[in-house]
Amino acid sequence: MTETENAQDTGRRRLLKAALPLAVAAAALDAAPSRAASPGPAAKAPAPRGRDRIDVHCHLIPDFYRQSLAEHHVTEIGGVPVPVWSPALAVDFMNRYGIEAQVVSVSEPGVTYLDSAADRIAMAQRLNTYMSRELVHGSTYRQGRFGGFAVLPLGRQVVAKDVGDAVVEVRRAVRELGLDGVGLFSSYGGTYLGDPVFEPLLRELDDLRAMVFIHPVTPLACPDLGLPPFLYEFTFDTTRALVNMLYKGVYERYSGIRWLAAHAGGTLPYISYRASLLTLTPALAQQLGADRAADSSPHFRGLFYDTALSPAPQAMKSVRELAGTEHILFATDWPFSGPLFPGVGDPAPQLDETFGSGERLAVERGNALAQFPALAARIGARTG
């Protein structure tokens, strides 16, 4: 390829990345039922809703973190520009879409972009303290509007010291700062969560009976199709993490951990039977060095799945078939998904194609409150 062709190709890719959020939004609006259209004879107008939704997958990007990312030349996440965020914008978003509270987390790259273990610890501590003091237990106008998943000081290449530092920060974030759970990535530099290096951290999370949110990252050496990795690679890496933990016996050994899988579990619900085939052939599993595992269905059914970027029936009906309505939690992935929400009202009308009104209320509120009792208590105290 000539230099001119290279430059043209680079320009096309930049243009695609810049235009993609608007294109995604336009496609979503075209696909969504028109709110102005009269309901057909088989349609039923949704019951009016107040501000009652609980959003379990959304992100925070405070100014000090954004500045640190920029200083290290991180300007894109998942292949799209880092979006604007502030507590005021988050509250405005919630008010426009009937969301009572968001459980916030830190998206890719977390603190993995920092080379020094000391720098990773400092940034993780700063982010977790910010979540606790400014959002979860923050000022009056924010009280009851936020929960938080702790970020841990893990690097691109996970070593035992990093895991030890993560254990210390888990204790501080959950026990002292009162955060609602812990955020982990699907992989760290190609090391997945079933790797033995994570055992001390998994033991601590099990002791805490923690809710652990698994968010995907762009995997190492993925093929470049000229599209942002969040479109498909994120879903594949989530699936790798969940299958890896099955065959490494994580679900069996650490049954106290509650796992929340982002984006409807990636592709896992659709391939859960196929991904479990080695559990039906223990001799082959042993040959391949996989740990003995029981039938995978109970393990995969026991996971929790969010609706972020996945409210359409193609995804939700698969998740519902695998795990049941009670294991599905509402999520928006805001602010990264901001272009998908141009107005006000129902943020996920496609959920009506899978769930009845009572089931939607469970998915959008009741299931989350059951899994986040401290958040439920804060909301109860605020609303009286």
Side-chain angles (χ1 to χ4, degrees):
M1 184 178 288
T2 67
E3 289 185 10
T4 300
E5 289 170 330
N6 269 325
Q8 290 174 340
D9 184 62
T10 300
R12 283 193 297 270
R13 292 182 184 222
R14 286 176 179 165
L15 180 62
L16 175 63
K17 287 182 177 180
L20 181 74
L22 294 177
V24 170
L29 289 173
D30 287 343
S34 170
R35 289 190 175 93
S38 301
K44 182 173 67 175
R49 291 283 296 272
R51 194 180 71 194
D52 57 12
R53 296 180 175 93
I54 308 297
D55 183 352
V56 301
H57 175 174
C58 44
H59 301 292
L60 77 163
I61 312 167
D63 289 341
F64 66 84
Y65 180 60
R66 177 190 301 278
Q67 181 179 346
S68 178
L69 290 174
E71 289 170 355
H72 289 81
H73 311 292
V74 180
T75 59
E76 293 183 349
I77 294 175
V80 297
V82 179
V84 176
W85 178 92
S86 72
L89 287 173
V91 170
D92 176 69
F93 174 79
M94 287 189 269
N95 289 344
R96 285 189 289 119
Y97 291 101
I99 297 169
E100 184 166 11
Q102 290 183 335
V103 186
V104 295
S105 59
V106 178
S107 185
E108 180 187 40
V111 298
T112 64
Y113 67 97
L114 297 168
D115 293 329
S116 159
D119 288 344
R120 291 194 295 272
I121 292 169
M123 181 56 75
Q125 288 179 342
R126 189 173 182 185
L127 284 163
N128 292 334
T129 299
Y130 178 90
M131 268 190 265
S132 175
R133 294 179 182 172
E134 299 297 325
L135 300 179
V136 176
H137 307 290
S139 61
T140 302
Y141 93 95
R142 300 174 195 162
Q143 189 176 358
R145 303 307 299 272
F146 291 96
F149 287 113
V151 60
L152 302 184
L154 296 167
R156 284 186 292 262
Q157 300 298 326
V158 182
V159 297
K161 183 187 181 305
D162 276 351
V163 174
D165 294 338
V167 169
V168 172
E169 184 58 17
V170 162
R171 292 170 182 160
R172 188 184 82 95
V174 175
R175 295 176 178 172
E176 296 177 26
L177 297 181
L179 296 185
D180 298 283
V182 174
L184 288 177
F185 291 149
S186 51
S187 61
Y188 293 83
T191 301
Y192 288 85
L193 299 176
D195 191 280
V197 73
F198 289 109
E199 286 294 303
L201 176 58
L202 295 177
R203 283 196 296 270
E204 182 66 26
L205 295 170
D206 190 62
D207 288 344
L208 290 170
R209 304 191 72 80
M211 173 64 83
V212 179
F213 175 49
I214 301 178
H215 192 277
V217 295
T218 304
L220 289 178
C222 60
D224 183 2
L225 303 185
L227 295 167
F230 87 88
L231 277 179
Y232 49 92
E233 291 293 350
F234 270 22
T235 66
F236 301 154
D237 215 52
T238 299
T239 304
R240 293 184 189 103
L242 299 175
V243 174
N244 170 261
M245 288 194 290
L246 171 70
Y247 287 104
K248 296 300 183 181
V250 169
Y251 304 131
E252 288 186 286
R253 290 198 308 280
Y254 301 111
S255 58
I257 300 175
R258 291 164 297 140
W259 300 98
L260 173 60
H263 310 121
T267 64
L268 180 73
Y270 177 72
I271 68 164
S272 59
Y273 173 77
R274 177 176 180 144
S276 70
L277 289 180
L278 287 184
T279 67
L280 307 178
T281 54
L284 178 57
Q286 187 176 15
Q287 250 184 358
L288 295 173
D291 287 354
R292 181 197 65 79
D295 173 18
S296 70
S297 296
H299 295 298
F300 289 153
R301 282 203 303 269
L303 304 178
F304 292 87
Y305 303 83
D306 75 36
T307 69
L309 302 182
S310 310
Q314 299 95 312
M316 283 296 101
K317 289 184 179 181
S318 184
V319 179
R320 181 179 180 176
E321 181 68 21
L322 173 64
T325 300
E326 65 275 13
H327 278 243
I328 304 173
L329 283 67
F330 172 75
T332 65
D333 212 342
W334 188 85
F336 291 92
S337 60
L340 293 173
F341 304 101
V344 296
D346 188 344
Q350 304 98 322
L351 292 176
D352 279 339
E353 299 179 58
T354 301
F355 306 106
S357 58
E359 292 174 317
R360 271 200 72 170
L361 188 59
V363 166
E364 294 180 306
R365 180 177 177 84
N367 295 343
L369 294 182
Q371 297 305 319
F372 295 93
L375 174 64
R378 294 194 299 272
I379 290 173
R382 183 177 65 80
T383 58

